[in-house]
Amino acid sequence: MKKIPLYVKILAGMLLGVLFAMIALQFTGGVAFTKNWIKPFGTIFINLLKMIAIPLILASLIKGVSDLKDVSRLSSMGIRTVVFYLFTTVFAVSMGLIIVNIIKPGYAIKEETRTQMLASYGVDAVKKQQEAELQKKAGPLKFLEDIVPDNVVKAASSNTTMLQVIFFALLLGVALILIPEERARPMKSFFDSMNDVILKVIDLIMKTAPFGVFALMAALIAESPGWDIFKALGKYAVSVVSGIAVLLFVFYPGLILLFTRRNPFQFIRQISPAQLLAFSTSSSAATLPVTMECIEKNVGVDNEVSSFVLPIGATVNMDGTSLYQAVAAVFIAQAFGMHLDLQTQLGIILTATLASIGSAAVPGAGMVMLVIVLAQAGIPEAGLALIFAVDRPLDMCRTVANVTSDCTVATIIAHGMGKLEHPSITERS
Ligand code: ASP
């Protein structure tokens, strides 16, 4: 029998969860049953995701940074790559923030539904408000102070200080590059292998996703029967997709036109096989071989550039993911009735950029790393339950943006270095 793809199972879990809740609502005691016997499995699933976040940051960032060994060797290409990747990512997060502040998807949830939600997720709104007040009173450089841990073990013991763990991981990665290669090798292979193991753990966790989603959806609906949640989720999905559309149809074509003077539509056609594969696999890593082929054969980028820029891009450059993380974080905050001031939103630009760099290029990784953005901005992580159901289709879209961004930057860099040939004969005709 043909294997059923995971996303179909997740979708089925979601639909069955909705169905289950609708039936439970018809019976007295149905809601209590869902709360006592079904909801805990949803909580366990979210806990699994949160559990893996810190080890994932450590392994993937240390591996990612130490893989950049070539940055020093190929310094000019390396620096250009890093600058362009950062630029596109920061643009994407800002785009996401603008759109989510215009559409305000979380405000589609009515006050009474919100109160019920807060009660059922056990979110102490007053405490959060006080924390926010404290944050406001802090000096302008408080966020910088907060990034540097005074004790790394303490930092790693709480999901709310993940930025500190990221800082430490980046520092370790850089130091690994700076010491002689043979001295760095044992630690590097340790973190390489740890990274593989963590990715496997995520794979295993994702296998339980259909059940997790079933429980989350059932609890979500049974406990807050307001249909406004679905309206809000719809608006949230529209916010993410429209942000990605701006990237795909305006931003990247604009960059191609501006920097290479090539026809952006032709460029999109040339990389479309990679985009389609990204959409269907939700993984920039799985798409990488096709991305390389499109960029070299169809676009005409020299292998010297593509073999350096694209693999790094697949692991660290995730515009779609960062945009999504910003939208999701603000959406969850809105849904819980929190007001995010400018400083917190600027903080989201930083954390979403870092979180997208740390996200693995596999399906669903962006959502695991979203925990960091939420924790850092003081947004209840329980909100993940809210967005999980629609995550897969959004993952497919954001992966297309991730891959397109890698292709765009590779083409621009190749052009700048005189390594962009004319497109192949077949493409030119
Ligand atoms: N699936 C994305 C990628 O591989 C990462 C994510 O946002 O989950 O590019």
Side-chain angles (χ1 to χ4, degrees):
M1 207 179 80
K2 232 179 119 225
K3 241 181 119 227
I4 306 172
L6 183 62
Y7 72 92
V8 176
K9 289 189 200 160
I10 293 180
L11 265 162
M14 181 186 151
L15 290 179
L16 287 175
V18 175
L19 209 68
F20 179 91
M22 306 267 242
I23 296 171
L25 282 170
Q26 309 305 317
F27 295 93
T28 29
V31 174
F33 178 85
T34 313
K35 187 165 181 224
N36 294 332
W37 295 96
I38 305 291
K39 190 179 174 187
F41 293 101
T43 313
I44 290 173
F45 179 64
I46 297 282
N47 282 352
L48 285 170
L49 289 175
K50 295 202 295 197
M51 169 193 86
I52 205 64
I54 295 245
L56 176 68
I57 299 177
L58 273 177
S60 81
L61 272 187
I62 295 176
K63 176 185 156 39
V65 177
S66 56
D67 277 350
L68 291 184
K69 178 106 194 121
D70 290 355
V71 171
S72 45
R73 216 180 314 143
L74 303 162
S75 63
S76 99
M77 184 160 46
I79 290 170
R80 278 184 220 200
T81 307
V82 172
V83 168
F84 264 105
Y85 279 162
L86 272 180
F87 165 67
T88 58
T89 306
V90 170
F91 179 91
V93 189
S94 316
M95 195 71 233
L97 283 177
I98 292 173
I99 290 181
V100 73
N101 278 298
I102 294 175
I103 300 186
K104 300 191 175 64
Y107 292 154
I109 295 177
K110 291 198 201 94
E111 198 48 52
E112 50 179 297
T113 316
R114 175 171 304 145
T115 320
Q116 280 185 32
M117 243 169 63
L118 285 173
S120 71
Y121 286 134
V123 175
D124 188 351
V126 180
K127 201 170 131 236
K128 287 281 171 213
Q129 204 63 42
Q130 282 169 350
E131 278 173 15
E133 287 300 321
L134 267 182
Q135 200 66 36
K136 255 189 232 153
K137 285 203 196 98
L141 290 184
K142 179 83 172 78
F143 79 98
L144 268 186
E145 266 178 50
D146 286 347
I147 292 176
V148 185
D150 61 350
N151 180 327
V152 70
V153 179
K154 194 171 101 208
S157 71
S158 160
N159 280 353
T160 57
T161 43
M162 280 197 224
L163 209 49
Q164 303 189 344
V165 181
I166 292 181
F167 176 81
F168 180 69
L170 287 177
L171 214 57
L172 275 188
V174 171
L176 263 181
I177 300 181
L178 296 179
I179 63 172
E181 203 168 334
E182 71 279 8
R183 306 283 299 147
R185 201 168 301 127
M187 180 146 161
K188 178 140 178 25
S189 35
F190 171 78
F191 279 106
D192 282 357
S193 140
M194 177 164 157
N195 194 43
D196 289 348
V197 174
I198 304 275
L199 286 184
K200 191 73 217 168
V201 174
I202 293 185
D203 196 36
L204 294 176
I205 295 176
M206 289 311 278
K207 283 203 194 327
T208 69
F211 304 100
V213 170
F214 169 82
L216 289 170
M217 281 314 276
L220 190 71
I221 295 177
E223 289 188 343
S224 55
W227 283 98
D228 40 340
I229 287 198
F230 289 96
K231 198 169 143 211
L233 267 182
K235 282 182 147 191
Y236 154 72
V238 168
S239 311
V240 175
V241 173
S242 33
I244 290 176
V246 173
L247 294 182
L248 290 179
F249 300 114
V250 182
F251 184 54
Y252 302 133
L255 288 180
I256 286 290
L257 189 66
L258 191 70
F259 285 97
T260 70
R261 301 269 155 220
R262 282 207 174 177
N263 179 346
F265 299 105
Q266 190 193 31
F267 170 76
I268 297 288
R269 210 187 63 225
Q270 289 163 336
I271 62 163
S272 57
Q275 290 179 318
L276 288 174
L277 197 66
F279 188 75
S280 41
T281 60
S282 271
S283 163
S284 328
T287 313
L288 185 61
V290 178
T291 315
M292 302 263 291
E293 183 164 303
C294 291
I295 270 298
E296 288 174 17
K297 295 224 175 96
N298 298 350
V299 183
V301 172
D302 194 293
N303 174 271
E304 193 189 315
V305 175
S306 62
S307 63
F308 174 77
V309 178
L310 291 177
I312 295 180
T315 17
V316 302
N317 181 45
M318 300 202 180
D319 298 359
T321 302
S322 63
L323 180 143
Y324 143 85
Q325 284 168 335
V327 175
V330 177
F331 167 66
I332 293 173
Q334 290 172 347
F336 282 112
M338 289 172 68
H339 173 72
L340 297 181
D341 57 14
L342 189 66
Q343 202 179 338
T344 317
Q345 300 223 14
L346 291 180
I348 290 181
I349 297 191
L350 180 68
T351 40
T353 302
L354 291 171
S356 70
I357 293 176
S359 300
V362 296
M367 210 190 81
V368 179
M369 291 302 256
L370 176 62
V371 177
I372 302 176
V373 184
L374 296 181
Q376 199 63 35
I379 302 166
E381 294 152 24
L384 282 179
L386 210 58
I387 57 161
F388 197 90
V390 289
D391 195 63
R392 180 64 192 212
L394 297 183
D395 192 2
M396 295 161 79
C397 299
R398 63 187 190 242
T399 310
V400 176
N402 293 347
V403 168
T404 309
S405 174
D406 299 342
C407 293
T408 306
V409 173
T411 309
I412 293 174
I413 289 185
H415 181 265
M417 301 182 59
K419 301 267 180 201
L420 185 60
E421 296 152 21
H422 287 294
S424 62
I425 306 296
T426 39
E427 279 302 323
R428 227 184 307 166
S429 60

